[in-house]
Amino acid sequence: MTVARTGPAFSLSDIPFSTYGSWFDISPVVAEKTYAEDLHLVSHQNGMHAVLRLVPLTGGERARTERRATPGRLTWTAEGGRIDLAYESPDTVRLRGSGLHIGVFAAEQALTPFSGTYFFRDPAADAHVFTSYETGRRYRVTVLSGTTTDTAGEQSLGSTDRGLTVGATAGDGWELAIEELDTASPPYTASTAFDEVVKRAQGAFADFVDAVAPWRSPDTPAAELAAYVVWSATVRPAGLVTRPGVLMSKHWMDKVWSWDHCFNALALAPGCPGLALDQFHLPFDHQDGSGALPDSVTHSEVLHNFVKPPIHGWAFGHLRRRLPTPPSRAELAETYQRLARWTDFWLTARRAPGAELPHYQHGNDSGWDNATTFDPERVVVTADLAAFMVLQMRELAFLAAEVGEQEHVRRWTRAAEETQAALLGQLWTGDRFVARGVATGETWSTSSLLDLMPIVLGEHLPAEIGSALADRIKAHLTPYGLATELTTSPHYLADGYWRGPIWAPATVLVEDGLRRAGHHRLADDISARFRALCEAHGFAENFDALTGTGLRDRAYTWTAAAYLLLAEAHAHRDGR
């Protein structure tokens, strides 16, 4: 007999329950840092919106229940009763219960001509429907067995309770389906038994984790949960998301930012190469006329007010080596054109007249929004940006050779050499890198880990500079990993975003650069501390550097992807 692989259990307060491809989740997290008593159906179309409230009931009152979630099933249990929920498809969940009733209510009471949720019974589909102004979608509830014991607010306007209660007579169970629709769909009919729905959901996740983490072992105990965070945050193409996309979270950070996607692509590459390439290219689908990438992309919004750092050459260099089949010449040619336009943006729109090095216009452009590097001025030439540009131009030279553009090989090779020479000549003081204000010409150094990011140049750095950077990086190590601001700095803040907490992307970039520069022992230490941090504290957006506590959004995909990358590399180094 085959034993069902249920996957890891997880806290719904930390990680939402969802499935690959879906634009909604089931969670108590209904807005940024806002936790409701009940689980809600939360949609991420047109933003993050709690649409429906799901309430276990007994005797007409909210039941005291315990909640348990695994990748294929969510369960409420109470003395004498149980409710199960599973995804039948990305847009449909099935619920089954016995001993408890379920209330399905609009999350908000208020309904105006421009906001809220309207509720009515649809006689054509023999179902109840909630229509949401916020998501622009409909949510249809079809009772498959049992009875509708109560309804409230049908066709009502203004502010009132809206919804239905479903239950069964003594000893019997009930079942229903909830669908997220556009405008209309044929009446729902159940073609699959509930237990089979659960089995298929469990199997879909098991196949995914086998693909992305076949190397997992007891030494990498968080690999399955990391894979679930990535799998469950993946949405199907819709709106402005042009490809299957891994959102940063199905909590409130429900976008694809134009550097976060690189880490998800790298983690997915060996096992899900098509999905990995989709992640890499998704922001490039919105590249503007200047060659700039957007700041972020989500269902109904593309933001261009900031950009993100050009780590894409570094990322694609690793990505093409991690793919099980090398990209075709046509694929390389497309990537070359997109990377070249992105690089030319930095060389034109982001270089002052006569300047050799590009600049950021704000900390947000660097991805390190409020790092202390940007305290003196915001329009700044920084060493990390120059280093990323060097790596990107080296990758462009490689790609140009692969697609037969020999003249371009010489152009990008020369540009990379000149940029690195300018970086070392203008920003290296002999023991550290400094930043320089574009307006004033003033230079300064800080206690931010950002100042040490030129370590990403790895083997391209002079050995003495690599060693000096490695020594300074060691000072940022806490028992949990790399603090983004020295913990001894007067500017250090435990929950200060980029002024102290540990972040996944900085960890991966620094670990990779150290390893390529020959500092393997320090790289091993950084990897081990970050993996242990995730194993103990999950996959938060960032972490308190002195306690390890997860901060901000608690189900962040680039954190999970970073764990998968470091755990895989550790497993291979360890001989598995």
Side-chain angles (χ1 to χ4, degrees):
M1 182 177 74
T2 302
V3 178
R5 295 170 54 189
T6 60
F10 55 89
S11 167
L12 288 162
S13 295
D14 292 338
I15 300 172
F17 181 77
S18 193
T19 196
Y20 183 99
S22 181
W23 279 92
F24 68 84
D25 62 80
I26 309 298
S27 173
V29 180
V30 295
E32 182 175 354
K33 302 179 183 178
T34 304
Y35 295 77
E37 182 177 5
D38 297 310
L39 297 183
H40 285 62
L41 185 153
V42 181
S43 178
H44 299 274
Q45 299 196 65
N46 289 326
M48 179 188 185
H49 303 288
V51 181
L52 301 179
R53 184 165 50 96
L54 306 177
V55 188
L57 299 168
T58 181
E61 302 294 328
R62 178 185 283 107
R64 285 177 161 274
T65 61
E66 293 185 359
R67 301 190 294 233
R68 184 176 188 270
T70 60
R73 186 199 303 254
L74 186 161
T75 302
W76 295 261
T77 56
E79 186 176 350
R82 170 179 176 139
I83 299 171
D84 292 304
L85 181 151
Y87 276 84
E88 182 177 63
S89 70
D91 59 16
T92 303
V93 289
R94 293 268 290 273
L95 290 90
R96 180 180 68 180
S98 62
L100 292 171
H101 291 196
I102 186 77
V104 182
F105 305 112
E108 300 292 339
Q109 288 189 324
L111 174 66
T112 77
F114 306 104
S115 66
T117 302
Y118 174 61
F119 176 62
F120 65 97
R121 184 181 177 278
D122 179 4
D126 190 22
H128 285 85
V129 177
F130 298 83
T131 68
S132 168
Y133 276 97
E134 282 71 27
T135 70
R137 301 297 182 275
R138 296 174 174 229
Y139 302 85
R140 186 168 69 185
V141 182
T142 303
V143 178
L144 306 177
S145 64
T147 59
T148 302
T149 61
D150 190 23
T151 60
E154 286 189 49
Q155 302 186 48
S156 294
L157 305 178
S159 185
T160 188
D161 288 326
R162 293 176 175 83
L164 68 157
T165 302
V166 177
T169 56
D172 294 328
W174 55 264
E175 193 171 335
L176 60 83
I178 303 176
E179 305 164 89
E180 185 175 53
L181 307 174
D182 290 339
T183 305
S185 180
Y188 177 86
T189 57
S191 58
T192 307
F194 186 88
D195 288 338
E196 183 63 22
V197 169
V198 173
K199 183 179 177 181
R200 290 181 183 179
Q202 291 170 341
F205 172 68
D207 290 345
F208 181 83
V209 74
D210 283 347
V212 301
W215 38 262
R216 66 195 185 280
S217 77
D219 287 340
T220 55
E224 289 200 5
L225 190 55
Y228 175 75
V229 170
V230 174
W231 178 79
S232 64
T234 304
V235 295
R236 65 182 182 273
L240 297 169
V241 176
T242 50
R243 308 160 180 261
V246 181
L247 304 179
M248 292 310 103
S249 175
K250 279 184 181 168
H251 288 326
W252 58 87
M253 299 295 279
D254 55 353
K255 298 182 180 184
V256 177
W257 276 268
S258 293
W259 69 312
D260 311 44
H261 68 110
C262 292
F263 301 93
N264 288 330
L266 291 174
L268 291 165
C272 299
L275 184 60
L277 286 168
D278 281 334
Q279 299 327 295
F280 181 80
H281 282 289
L282 198 158
F284 284 94
D285 292 345
H286 297 279
Q287 198 166 16
D288 73 11
S290 72
L293 297 184
D295 185 30
S296 62
V297 178
T298 193
H299 177 270
S300 303
E301 174 187 85
V302 177
L303 298 183
H304 286 280
N305 53 326
F306 293 106
V307 293
K308 284 293 174 276
I311 68 165
H312 303 82
W314 168 86
F316 192 75
H318 282 292
L319 180 62
R320 60 180 168 79
R321 290 188 288 271
R322 288 176 56 78
L323 293 169
T325 302
S328 68
R329 183 173 175 138
E331 290 170 329
L332 291 176
E334 179 186 33
T335 302
Y336 172 74
Q337 293 297 329
R338 289 178 158 198
L339 270 180
R341 292 182 60 220
W342 176 221
T343 307
D344 281 331
F345 161 79
W346 289 97
L347 296 176
T348 54
R350 292 300 181 87
R351 282 202 298 192
E356 295 178 276
L357 296 175
H359 59 264
Y360 293 129
Q361 294 178 342
H362 186 279
N364 288 0
D365 286 341
S366 75
W368 294 52
D369 308 4
N370 66 335
T372 53
T373 301
F374 301 97
D375 280 0
E377 300 179 40
R378 256 61 65 196
V379 182
V380 180
V381 174
T382 64
D384 69 295
L385 174 54
F388 292 140
M389 288 290 288
V390 170
L391 293 178
Q392 190 147 297
M393 291 188 285
R394 289 184 179 277
E395 183 64 19
L396 281 167
F398 170 84
L399 290 172
E402 289 291 296
V403 299
E405 298 281 2
Q406 290 305 315
E407 196 62 38
H408 293 188
V409 174
R410 290 186 284 273
R411 176 204 169 187
W412 293 119
T413 300
R414 182 171 61 252
E417 292 170 348
E418 290 172 350
T419 301
Q420 182 159 331
L423 165 65
L424 300 181
Q426 297 177 26
L427 300 182
W428 179 251
T429 66
D431 68 344
R432 67 180 64 210
F433 282 103
V434 296
R436 186 179 70 236
V438 173
T440 64
E442 298 291 329
T443 61
W444 60 87
S445 62
T446 71
S447 298
S448 175
L449 183 64
L450 184 61
D451 291 8
L452 308 178
M453 289 306 292
I455 194 65
V456 298
L457 287 169
E459 69 276 20
H460 305 298
L461 276 174
E464 65 277 11
I465 295 180
S467 295
L469 292 176
D471 287 342
R472 291 187 177 276
I473 288 167
K474 288 177 190 175
H476 284 262
L477 267 178
T478 76
Y480 302 97
L482 289 170
T484 46
E485 179 80 8
L486 284 177
T487 58
T488 55
S489 164
H491 305 294
Y492 173 84
L493 293 171
D495 187 10
Y497 225 49
W498 293 93
R499 301 170 83 93
I502 295 165
W503 285 81
T507 300
V508 171
L509 287 162
V510 168
E511 191 267 358
D512 173 69
L514 286 167
R515 201 171 293 285
R516 290 188 293 106
H519 298 276
H520 296 283
R521 184 173 298 176
L522 180 55
D524 287 345
D525 190 11
I526 290 169
S527 172
R529 294 187 197 206
F530 186 80
R531 286 183 282 114
L533 173 66
C534 293
E535 288 158 9
H537 296 280
F539 304 103
E541 185 178 352
N542 53 57
F543 303 86
D544 187 309
L546 296 179
T547 68
T549 302
L551 303 171
R552 309 291 174 124
D553 194 310
R554 298 298 296 275
Y556 217 73
T557 55
W558 76 356
T559 308
Y563 178 85
L564 292 170
L565 284 167
L566 295 174
E568 178 192 4
H570 167 68
H572 291 326
R573 282 194 300 273
D574 207 33
R576 286 184 300 279

Coordinates of all heavy atoms in Angstrom, one line a residue, residues 269-270 273 277 319-328 331:
A269 N 15.8 26.3 -11.1 CA 16.4 26.0 -12.4 C 16.6 24.5 -12.6 O 16.3 23.9 -13.7 CB 17.7 26.7 -12.6
P270 N 17.3 23.7 -11.7 CA 17.6 22.3 -12.0 C 16.3 21.5 -12.2 O 16.3 20.6 -13.1 CB 18.4 21.8 -10.8 CG 18.9 23.1 -10.2 CD 17.9 24.1 -10.4
P273 N 13.0 23.9 -15.0 CA 13.7 24.9 -15.8 C 12.8 25.9 -16.6 O 13.1 27.0 -16.7 CB 14.5 24.0 -16.8 CG 13.8 22.7 -16.8 CD 13.3 22.5 -15.4
L277 N 13.0 29.9 -16.0 CA 13.2 30.9 -17.1 C 12.1 31.9 -17.1 O 12.3 33.1 -17.4 CB 13.4 30.2 -18.4 CG 14.7 29.5 -18.6 CD1 14.7 28.6 -19.9 CD2 15.9 30.5 -18.8
L319 N 22.3 30.9 -13.7 CA 21.1 30.2 -14.1 C 21.4 29.3 -15.3 O 21.0 28.1 -15.3 CB 20.0 31.3 -14.5 CG 18.7 30.7 -15.1 CD1 18.0 29.9 -14.0 CD2 17.8 31.9 -15.5
R320 N 22.1 29.8 -16.3 CA 22.4 29.0 -17.5 C 23.2 27.8 -17.1 O 23.1 26.7 -17.8 CB 23.0 29.8 -18.6 CG 24.3 30.4 -18.3 CD 24.9 31.2 -19.4 NE 26.0 32.1 -19.1 CZ 27.3 31.6 -18.9 NH1 27.6 30.3 -19.1 NH2 28.2 32.5 -18.6
R321 N 24.1 27.9 -16.1 CA 24.8 26.7 -15.7 C 24.0 25.7 -14.9 O 24.4 24.5 -14.8 CB 26.1 27.2 -14.9 CG 27.1 27.9 -15.8 CD 28.4 28.2 -15.0 NE 28.2 29.2 -14.0 CZ 28.4 30.5 -14.2 NH1 28.7 30.9 -15.4 NH2 28.3 31.4 -13.3
R322 N 22.9 26.2 -14.3 CA 22.1 25.3 -13.4 C 21.0 24.6 -14.2 O 20.4 23.6 -13.7 CB 21.5 26.1 -12.3 CG 22.5 26.5 -11.2 CD 21.9 27.4 -10.1 NE 20.7 26.8 -9.5 CZ 20.8 25.9 -8.6 NH1 22.0 25.4 -8.2 NH2 19.7 25.4 -8.0
L323 N 20.7 25.1 -15.4 CA 19.6 24.5 -16.2 C 20.1 23.1 -16.7 O 21.2 22.9 -17.1 CB 19.3 25.3 -17.4 CG 18.7 26.7 -17.1 CD1 18.6 27.6 -18.3 CD2 17.2 26.5 -16.5
P324 N 19.2 22.1 -16.6 CA 19.6 20.8 -17.1 C 19.9 20.7 -18.6 O 20.7 19.8 -19.0 CB 18.3 19.9 -16.7 CG 17.2 20.9 -16.6 CD 17.8 22.1 -16.1
T325 N 19.3 21.6 -19.4 CA 19.6 21.7 -20.8 C 20.0 23.1 -21.1 O 19.2 24.0 -20.8 CB 18.4 21.3 -21.6 OG1 17.9 19.9 -21.3 CG2 18.7 21.3 -23.1
P326 N 21.1 23.3 -21.7 CA 21.5 24.7 -22.0 C 20.5 25.4 -22.9 O 19.8 24.8 -23.7 CB 22.8 24.5 -22.8 CG 23.3 23.1 -22.5 CD 22.1 22.3 -22.2
P327 N 20.3 26.7 -22.7 CA 19.4 27.5 -23.5 C 19.8 27.4 -24.9 O 21.0 27.3 -25.3 CB 19.5 28.9 -22.9 CG 20.1 28.7 -21.6 CD 21.0 27.5 -21.6
S328 N 18.8 27.5 -25.8 CA 19.0 27.5 -27.2 C 19.7 28.8 -27.6 O 19.6 29.8 -26.9 CB 17.7 27.3 -28.0 OG 16.9 28.4 -27.8
E331 N 17.1 31.5 -27.5 CA 16.9 31.9 -26.1 C 18.0 32.8 -25.6 O 17.8 33.8 -24.9 CB 16.7 30.7 -25.2 CG 15.4 29.9 -25.4 CD 15.4 28.6 -24.7 OE1 16.4 28.0 -24.5 OE2 14.3 28.2 -24.3

